[in-house]
Amino acid sequence: MTRTIALIDVNNFYVSCERAFNPRLKYQPVVVLSNNDGCVISRSNEAKALGIKMGEPWFKCQAMARQYGVEALSSNYALYADMSNRVMSILADFSPHQEVYSIDECFLELTGFAQKDLIAYGQLMKTRIFKWTGLPVCVGVGATKTLAKIANNIAKKNIKFNGLCNLSNIKHEELNHLLHAMEAGEVWGVGRQLALKLKARGIDTALDLKRADPVYIRQSFGVVMEKIVHELNGTLCIDLEEVAPPRKQILSSRSFGDAVSDYQSLAASITLYMSRAAEKLRGQQSVASVIQVYIRTSPFKLDQAQYSNSMTIPLPTPTDDTRQLVKMALWALKRIYKPHYSYVKAGVSLGDLISKASMPLDFFTSPDSSDRSTALMRTVDRINAKMGRESIKLASEGFDRSWQMKQGNKSPNYTTSWEQILCVKDKAFSF
DNA sequence: TACTCCATATGAT
DNA sequence: CTAACGATCATATGGAGTA
């Protein structure tokens, strides 16, 4: 049976979240910056029109942006995550089969819907999401995830589609016409390098890729690209993943507000990042068998002495206990740390994750002590969930936070903090 | 020879 | 005033080491 899959994607997600709560930002050029106010990661259409590029370092366009009155906001992930949850739960009502693909987009299975109803159904999604959250979305429909992605892309780019594009119902020539107008590099799964490689073989457009010989593609590019070719031809190869599989790796890293050189700051940051990673680990009921710690100077400062190093430590017994994980991480840090360098970033990762339930009993750890660890961690997690992050933390996180990232212009947590909502009220009513 | 392990590259958002 | 360039996940790949 031919399938029908929709891809719903919020337009300029982070900027749109900010606008939903701050109408002053409407019709203005607005950008949202990455952590540490480093790069542009979301742009309003007005900001795009000014030529501000995705991923551009903010300091490079700051002067120009000031000239045009561009609003630049620090990213507020608490707000975006909450808004994302609202959108996803609204969309879940439109189909029993949903794959949450990223913070701002999801696939819905619409197989079996009458073609004549699809557009109206998509329109209903758009209006309902806008009414209930204030966020604008585009809907793309196709026979495969790859085609749904393309449909969404087309809906976003051409105003005449009104934010809605159904490729599952159009004539072959018409589809081919649209694919011909699209570069191969814009197809989902084809990045810069692969686009170059394709171009070298005479495959320039999405239509060229669709018409390429799958056998040849498999030989020169591998299975992944072959699947893309099939998907472009309407044969489903990449199915919906409704239940998110547990992560195989958990990473926590951050750039510092200002470079640091002292061991103490690095140790504090590593403790914090490992604590975060361990929370995530317990959240998905896994234990880690390997940890990695790394620190590095800025690769962009070519005039400065460079140093970057990492250490990977296999754990004797897999664990999810923050205390053990931090202990090992600091042990590793001590070994790779060298004084006198200007470090700009540190991070940890947890690897070889296995389900906690399937973990074999360890000969050297008594079941009793392992139960106590689990109970303690669960209690800490619950207290922190209820009373706020870091209500309970390890002392090695320290109290001096001078190294923490810059967030010069962050909006209030409109949806997750009463205190900050009240603060907004005061502002709004002080004429 | 075939597999595992590891670092690196690439892609997505 | 100055200096200022993200985070997190997945998979592919190729070489080195190993059974």
Side-chain angles (χ1 to χ4, degrees):
Chain A
M1 177 164 57
T2 93
R3 307 265 294 264
T4 308
I5 294 170
L7 189 263
I8 301 93
D9 186 314
V10 183
N11 307 342
N12 314 332
F13 182 53
Y14 296 170
V15 163
S16 296
C17 287
E18 300 289 349
R19 276 183 173 171
F21 292 92
N22 188 350
R24 188 174 59 79
L25 300 174
K26 273 207 255 183
Y27 312 117
Q28 295 282 113
V30 182
V31 300
V32 171
L33 305 177
S34 67
N35 274 338
N36 218 23
D37 294 343
C39 299
V40 174
I41 53 172
S42 181
R43 306 159 294 159
S44 71
N45 291 345
E46 297 80 6
K48 288 176 189 173
L50 287 175
I52 299 174
K53 295 278 175 286
M54 182 56 135
E56 200 173 9
W58 176 233
F59 75 89
K60 284 190 177 173
C61 45
Q62 201 170 10
M64 171 273 224
R66 200 195 328 258
Q67 199 181 333
Y68 288 98
V70 177
E71 281 277 349
L73 297 157
S74 307
S75 36
N76 182 345
Y77 287 104
L79 176 66
Y80 311 149
D82 187 67
M83 294 300 282
S84 173
N85 289 335
R86 295 173 189 220
V87 170
M88 296 308 166
S89 81
I90 293 168
L91 287 171
D93 286 343
F94 283 85
S95 167
H97 304 290
Q98 177 186 41
E99 173 185 341
V100 177
Y101 177 68
S102 78
I103 193 163
D104 78 324
E105 61 188 288
C106 76
F107 292 100
L108 290 182
E109 172 95 55
L110 298 181
T111 304
F113 258 78
Q115 281 296 339
K116 63 178 175 63
D117 298 333
L118 271 177
I119 290 292
Y121 205 53
Q123 190 57 52
L124 184 61
M125 293 182 202
K126 273 170 56 85
T127 51
R128 184 177 290 178
I129 290 171
F130 189 74
K131 208 167 182 178
W132 292 5
T133 67
L135 298 174
V137 302
C138 283
V139 181
V141 180
T144 65
K145 285 211 251 183
T146 304
L147 286 169
K149 271 271 188 189
I150 288 175
N152 189 284
N153 188 299
I154 291 170
K156 263 204 179 121
K157 280 190 176 160
N158 312 315
I159 306 180
K160 61 174 181 179
F161 280 89
N162 196 23
L164 252 164
C165 173
N166 179 9
L167 293 182
S168 68
N169 193 28
I170 66 174
K171 293 197 199 78
H172 283 286
E173 312 87 73
E174 212 172 326
L175 174 58
N176 288 349
H177 186 73
L178 289 165
L179 293 181
H180 182 67
M182 177 177 277
E183 291 194 29
E186 289 185 69
V187 176
W188 187 40
V190 182
R192 262 219 315 272
Q193 303 301 321
L194 290 171
L196 278 177
K197 233 176 114 177
L198 286 169
K199 232 181 180 64
R201 288 160 172 75
I203 299 171
D204 297 326
T205 70
L207 182 60
D208 294 338
L209 187 56
K210 176 185 173 183
R211 288 178 169 164
D213 173 21
V215 178
Y216 165 74
I217 290 289
R218 180 178 196 138
Q219 279 164 355
S220 339
F221 292 89
V223 238
V224 177
M225 187 69 81
E226 187 197 6
K227 282 184 182 175
I228 292 173
V229 173
H230 286 304
E231 288 241 323
L232 285 173
N233 284 282
T235 307
L236 188 126
C237 299
I238 311 169
D239 214 331
L240 254 58
E241 289 193 51
E242 295 176 50
V243 283
R247 302 268 87 97
K248 296 172 180 174
Q249 184 190 43
I250 291 170
L251 207 130
S252 178
S253 70
R254 211 114 303 176
S255 299
F256 301 124
D258 291 302
V260 305
S261 296
D262 63 307
Y263 177 80
Q264 272 314 313
S265 298
L266 290 175
S269 69
I270 291 290
T271 304
L272 172 66
Y273 305 155
M274 186 53 94
S275 303
R276 285 271 176 287
E279 280 169 16
K280 283 193 223 166
L281 183 68
R282 295 191 291 271
Q284 65 167 29
Q285 271 128 212
S286 298
V287 287
S289 321
V290 174
I291 70 166
Q292 188 181 54
V293 176
Y294 75 89
I295 51 179
R296 69 166 171 81
T297 57
S298 171
F300 299 107
K301 293 192 169 173
L302 301 170
D303 53 331
Q304 288 192 7
Q306 298 289 316
Y307 174 66
S308 101
N309 203 352
S310 70
M311 183 173 263
T312 307
I313 306 179
L315 302 177
T317 59
T319 182
D320 65 357
D321 189 311
T322 301
R323 297 165 302 171
Q324 275 177 261
L325 292 166
V326 167
K327 200 169 165 183
M328 299 304 284
L330 292 179
W331 186 86
L333 174 64
K334 208 166 269 172
R335 248 132 281 256
I336 58 175
Y337 171 73
K338 285 194 197 172
H340 311 310
Y341 285 100
S342 294
Y343 298 100
V344 295
K345 186 172 178 173
V348 303
S349 84
L350 304 174
D352 280 13
L353 307 188
I354 54 177
S355 127
K356 181 158 183 161
S358 75
M359 197 180 84
L361 284 179
D362 172 34
F363 190 79
F364 297 101
T365 317
S366 75
D368 195 38
S369 98
S370 139
D371 286 348
R372 279 203 304 276
S373 156
T374 301
L376 177 63
M377 288 302 123
R378 184 173 305 159
T379 305
V380 168
D381 287 340
R382 279 163 59 182
I383 291 174
N384 284 341
K386 190 168 177 180
M387 312 298 291
R389 266 181 176 185
E390 295 178 60
S391 296
I392 296 191
K393 61 181 177 182
L394 294 187
S396 54
E397 265 190 43
F399 295 96
D400 167 30
R401 287 300 175 82
S402 51
W403 47 269
Q404 274 204 335
M405 65 178 174
K406 288 176 184 153
Q407 290 188 309
N409 192 19
K410 191 154 91 95
S411 54
N413 290 333
Y414 299 104
T415 61
T416 53
S417 157
W418 284 112
E419 272 176 39
Q420 296 181 26
I421 293 169
L422 296 179
C423 150
V424 173
K425 198 196 79 178
D426 289 344
K427 259 197 206 164
F429 288 94
S430 62
F431 292 101

